[in-house]
Amino acid sequence: MALARGAALCVLPLMLLAFSPKEIVDDAYISYRHAWNLLHGHGLVYNAVERVEGFTNLLWTLISAIPLAVGIRVDLFCSILGGILAATAVLRSWRFLVKLRVPEYAAWGAALLVALFPGYYVNAVNGLEAGLFSLLLVETAGAVLTRRQPLVPALLGGLLFTTRPESAALLPLCVIFRFLVDRSQSDDMRWIKRDVLRMALGWGAIIGAVTAGRLLFYGHPLPNSVAAKAVNLTNVPELLWNARYGAIYLRGFFLTNPLLVVLSVLGLIATPRALWAWLGGLTAIGAALLILLQGGDWMLHFRLLTMYAPFMMFPAAAGLSFLGGRLQRMKANLRPVAGLAMAAAAGFGLFVGASQVYFFPNMQWELGQPAKAYEIIARALRGGLQQGDVVAGEGIGMLGIELPETYVHDFLGLTDEHLAHHGTLRDIYGRRDYVYTAREVRPAVYVVHSGFFHLSRFREGFEGDFNATYETYDVLRPQGATTHQMMVSLRSDVAERLRPLLGSLQPERATIPPP
C-alpha cells in the first residue's frame, strides 16, 4: 500500500504538468550566465569585469554549471531536476509524517493536497531553485524533529542557506524546536544542551563561512540581488504600499490552494502541542510576514509561498487528524452527513484552486520561453556589438546568456552594485535610478519589453535630447497590436553599425514621448 501511494505522489504531478502551461522564467538565465562565467574563468559573476552577486540561489547556480560544463541544455536540465526535487519533497514530507506517527489518513490526505497543487509543480519547473529549496526545507525540519545526529540538520540547514539566504531565520526557530523535541524525550539537560549547541554551531558555521566568502569576493555580506529589493524600514509610505500588495499576494496564494491553508490554520489551533505542526506553521507564517514587508513578487504562481507547500503538509495533517478524530467521536447516524459535508468542502476547495490555473485540453510537454523576444534581438545584434558596447536590458536573463561576452547593464539593479545600494526607486522588480543609467552608464543599446514606460523616464533623466542621441525602434510587433512592447534604442555613434542588423525584426522608427 505504501509503495502504491508513493507511486501516486509521483504520477499525479506528471499528469498535472502534462496539461499545465510550463515556462522558463527570464531570471533563471541570470543564474546560468553567472555559471557560464564561472566555467570560463571569470568567477561567479554576471559581467566579467566586476564582482557582483546578481543571484540569490548560490547552490542552484553552482548546480546549473554542471549541464553547461558537459554541453547539455541548461534550462531543460534545471527544469527537469526542479520537478524531480519538488516531487521528492512531497514524498519525503509524507514519510516524515508517517515516522512522526501522524494518522495514516491525515498524512496521506495532506500529501494529496500538495500532489494536486498545479501551481507548486509549475513553479518548480521554471528553471529556478524552488524544488531544491522545498526538499532541503523538508529534510532540515525532518532531521530536527526526528532527532537525527545534530550535524545532519546543521549541514542541511547550511545547504538551505546557500539556496536562499533568508532561510537563516530558520536557525533560531529550529534551535528552539530541537530543544523542545529533546526535552520531550529526555530529562538529561546536559545532553540536551550539548545536542542543541552542536546543531546550532554547525549550522551557524556554514552560514558564517558562506557570508565570509561573500565579503571576501564581492565585498558585501548578502547578494546584490537581495540588496536591490531590500526595504527601507524608515519609509512608511513604502511599507504601507508593500503591505497592501503583499496582502493581495497572500490572497492570491490562498485561492490557489484554500484547503491547504485552511487545514494548516485549523491544525495549529486544534493541536497546540504538536511540535511538528507548529514548526511547519510558524515557518509559513514567517514567509507570509516577509511578503507583507516586501510586497510580494512579480513571478507567476506565487513562488515565494508555493515552495513552502510540502512543509505546510505538517500543520495541514494536524488539521486533518483533528477532523478525523471529531468524525470518529460523532454519533453513528451523523457520520455520513458530516462526511458528505467534508467531501463537499474538499471538492469545492479543489475546484477553487484548479480554477486559478489554465489547463491545456491536450497533453503538452513543451517549455515556454516568455523571454523569446530577447533571444531573437540578442542574436540579431550579436554580430555587430563590439568590446566596450554596453547593452541595457529590462529583462537581462536571456539577453545576458545570448550575449556572454557583452557588458549587460541591469537598470533594475539586480546585477548592478551602484543601483542596488544607491538606487532611488524601489519596487518588486528591484531598484533603479534613471538619471544614473541615462547619464553615467549611457548604454549603447537599450532593450525593453514595456514599450515607452522606462524609455520615457530615461529621456527625462538624460542630459540633452534623448531622441536626437538615440534611434528608437519598435520591433517584433505582433500583427494588429495597438500597443508598443519590444523596443530597441541605438545610440547615434553605434546606430550605423547596428541598425542594419534589426532588418529582420520588422523595425518601425518611434519617438520617445515624455513620461
Side-chain angles (χ1 to χ4, degrees):
M1 182 62 74
L3 184 61
R5 288 179 174 177
L9 293 180
C10 295
V11 172
L12 286 173
L14 281 175
M15 294 177 62
L16 284 175
L17 284 173
F19 292 93
S20 301
K22 301 162 286 293
E23 61 184 35
I24 304 293
V25 296
D26 188 61
D27 277 22
Y29 295 97
I30 298 177
S31 293
Y32 306 158
R33 170 152 159 153
H34 282 82
W36 188 93
N37 275 322
L38 177 66
L39 292 173
H40 286 78
H42 305 304
L44 210 53
V45 297
Y46 183 79
N47 287 307
V49 296
E50 59 188 8
R51 293 184 175 185
V52 177
E53 186 179 6
F55 55 86
T56 57
N57 50 8
L58 173 59
L59 181 58
W60 188 251
T61 300
L62 292 173
I63 291 172
S64 70
I66 297 171
L68 287 170
V70 298
I72 299 174
R73 183 179 157 186
V74 61
D75 52 0
L76 182 60
F77 174 91
C78 289
S79 178
I80 294 173
L81 179 60
I84 292 172
L85 294 175
T88 305
V90 178
L91 276 168
R92 292 293 294 157
S93 187
W94 169 55
R95 294 304 302 163
F96 276 125
L97 287 172
V98 172
K99 186 178 291 188
L100 292 166
R101 298 182 181 178
V102 176
E104 186 71 23
Y105 67 86
W108 173 239
L112 281 178
L113 285 177
V114 181
L116 294 171
F117 187 6
Y120 170 67
Y121 290 101
V122 172
N123 183 56
V125 299
N126 70 2
L128 285 172
E129 74 285 350
L132 176 63
F133 181 85
S134 297
L135 179 59
L136 286 173
L137 178 62
V138 168
E139 292 290 347
T140 302
V144 170
L145 294 168
T146 57
R147 302 179 70 204
R148 295 191 65 183
Q149 290 294 322
L151 293 182
V152 174
L155 176 60
L156 291 167
L159 291 174
L160 191 65
F161 174 75
T162 63
T163 304
R164 290 193 67 87
E166 69 267 28
S167 65
L170 284 172
L171 174 55
L173 187 63
C174 285
V175 165
I176 294 170
F177 275 81
R178 180 72 172 205
F179 174 82
L180 293 174
V181 170
D182 283 349
R183 190 73 181 84
S184 67
Q185 301 291 325
S186 173
D187 293 325
D188 187 348
M189 287 301 298
R190 185 176 179 182
W191 176 86
I192 291 173
K193 290 178 181 178
R194 186 168 63 248
D195 179 74
V196 173
L197 186 62
R198 288 177 66 193
M199 186 192 79
L201 289 177
W203 193 333
I206 296 174
I207 292 176
V210 173
T211 303
R214 285 192 168 112
L215 279 168
L216 288 172
F217 189 78
Y218 298 108
H220 297 282
L222 289 173
N224 195 77
S225 51
V226 172
K229 295 185 179 183
V231 179
N232 182 358
L233 297 178
T234 63
N235 188 334
V236 176
E238 180 183 334
L239 292 175
L240 292 175
W241 187 95
N242 290 347
R244 177 190 174 192
Y245 284 93
I248 294 172
Y249 191 93
L250 294 177
R251 174 182 173 274
F253 172 74
F254 170 76
L255 291 176
T256 62
N257 202 330
L259 286 177
L260 184 65
V261 177
V262 170
L263 286 170
S264 295
V265 173
L266 177 63
L268 296 180
I269 295 172
T271 58
R273 302 183 70 177
L275 295 177
W276 46 272
W278 274 94
L279 181 55
L282 288 176
T283 301
I285 290 170
L289 291 175
L290 186 60
I291 285 167
L292 289 174
L293 181 66
Q294 294 186 328
D297 187 56
W298 62 269
M299 294 188 196
L300 298 175
H301 308 295
F302 310 99
R303 69 163 187 137
L304 296 179
L305 283 172
T306 54
M307 59 187 178
Y308 289 90
F311 200 20
M312 290 178 68
M313 286 169 54
F314 284 51
L320 285 170
S321 179
F322 170 76
L323 290 176
R326 293 297 296 266
L327 190 63
Q328 289 175 359
R329 288 193 293 271
M330 280 185 178
K331 293 181 180 180
N333 61 334
L334 294 178
R335 288 178 190 169
V337 178
L340 285 173
M342 290 181 185
F348 178 72
L350 290 172
F351 170 77
V352 171
S355 68
Q356 306 301 308
V357 180
Y358 170 77
F359 290 100
F360 293 128
N362 302 304
M363 286 190 181
Q364 294 191 27
W365 291 105
E366 182 179 357
L367 278 172
Q369 287 186 328
K372 186 70 174 179
Y374 280 100
E375 178 184 28
I376 296 170
I377 293 170
R379 290 184 177 182
L381 294 173
R382 189 160 51 193
L385 291 169
Q386 297 178 357
Q387 187 175 7
D389 288 340
V390 175
V391 177
E394 183 177 0
I396 62 162
M398 181 65 79
L399 191 68
I401 205 73
E402 289 293 333
L403 300 173
E405 307 287 350
T406 301
Y407 186 98
V408 177
H409 171 67
D410 176 17
F411 62 75
L412 296 177
L414 299 185
T415 64
D416 187 279
E417 184 178 15
H418 175 86
L419 288 176
H421 295 275
H422 305 289
T424 55
L425 299 170
R426 182 255 175 213
D427 58 18
I428 58 175
Y429 299 99
R431 201 177 298 274
R432 55 197 184 276
D433 182 338
Y434 293 111
V435 173
Y436 166 77
T437 295
R439 297 185 185 181
E440 301 296 326
V441 180
R442 208 168 179 270
V445 182
Y446 286 99
V447 184
V448 299
H449 61 260
S450 59
F452 294 136
F453 180 82
H454 290 294
L455 290 177
S456 62
R457 287 155 179 80
F458 287 127
R459 170 189 161 165
E460 183 180 47
F462 188 69
E463 194 170 27
D465 187 342
F466 187 91
N467 284 309
T469 306
Y470 285 88
E471 296 180 10
T472 301
Y473 296 91
D474 188 337
V475 298
L476 300 174
R477 191 171 185 174
Q479 189 172 5
T482 58
T483 58
H484 299 280
Q485 293 181 12
M486 297 304 304
M487 309 287 290
V488 177
S489 292
L490 307 176
R491 203 174 61 213
S492 56
D493 59 316
V494 302
E496 195 70 26
R497 171 168 33 104
L498 298 178
R499 187 191 311 115
L501 303 178
L502 300 178
S504 62
L505 309 182
Q506 303 91 45
E508 297 178 16
R509 187 70 184 266
T511 300
I512 306 301

